[in-house]
Amino acid sequence: MIITSGKLEYRARDGREYDDNGYPIQQTTTWSNEVPCQVVPLQYDRTVLSSTTETPVVIARYEVLIHARHYKEADEVRITDTRSGRTEELRVISAEYLRAVSQYKLLCR
């Protein structure tokens, strides 16, 4: 059972990488419709400094649970926290199917 604490959107890309002459083209990207999800922050650290510029860098890792019927394979997702309204764009590190509960667990950074 998912306790809804956020909304997830997938970044969808069109499948074309090259034009008719074989030259690379810029892909257009759009965000999918929002689907309910459960967001669990694993790590959120603002105290890390960049080694080159000495400026603060935010390191964040999240575990996201969604129903299997909403899952789409994607490299990037946008998560919106329903309580605070905060939105973050994250890369999907891994996706694991949880067969017993028919859900996917995404590890995002």
Side-chain angles (χ1 to χ4, degrees):
M1 180 173 134
I2 292 179
I3 300 169
T4 303
S5 63
K7 296 186 185 212
L8 177 117
E9 298 171 81
Y10 297 101
R11 178 171 286 200
R13 294 191 167 107
D14 62 359
R16 295 187 51 198
E17 295 181 17
Y18 301 99
D19 65 5
D20 297 334
N21 297 325
Y23 292 105
I25 59 173
Q26 183 176 5
Q27 290 188 342
T28 58
T29 59
T30 58
W31 290 101
S32 68
N33 296 330
E34 294 180 337
V35 295
C37 66
Q38 179 178 350
V39 181
V40 179
L42 299 177
Q43 176 186 12
Y44 192 85
D45 192 2
R46 292 185 188 186
T47 60
V48 177
L49 293 177
S50 170
S51 61
T52 56
T53 61
E54 297 296 323
T55 57
V57 176
V58 175
I59 294 178
R61 283 185 21 202
Y62 295 93
E63 184 179 271
V64 181
L65 294 172
I66 59 170
H67 288 290
R69 68 177 181 263
H70 297 303
Y71 176 72
K72 294 177 185 155
E73 192 170 328
D75 294 334
E76 296 180 32
V77 293
R78 180 164 56 189
I79 298 173
T80 305
D81 186 2
T82 54
R83 291 171 288 198
S84 66
R86 185 176 182 176
T87 302
E88 292 204 35
E89 293 182 15
L90 304 167
R91 291 187 51 94
V92 177
I93 304 301
S94 68
E96 178 184 353
Y97 180 61
L98 306 174
R99 187 171 33 145
V101 290
S102 186
Q103 297 173 357
Y104 273 90
K105 178 172 73 172
L106 307 177
L107 180 62
C108 303
R109 179 177 292 190

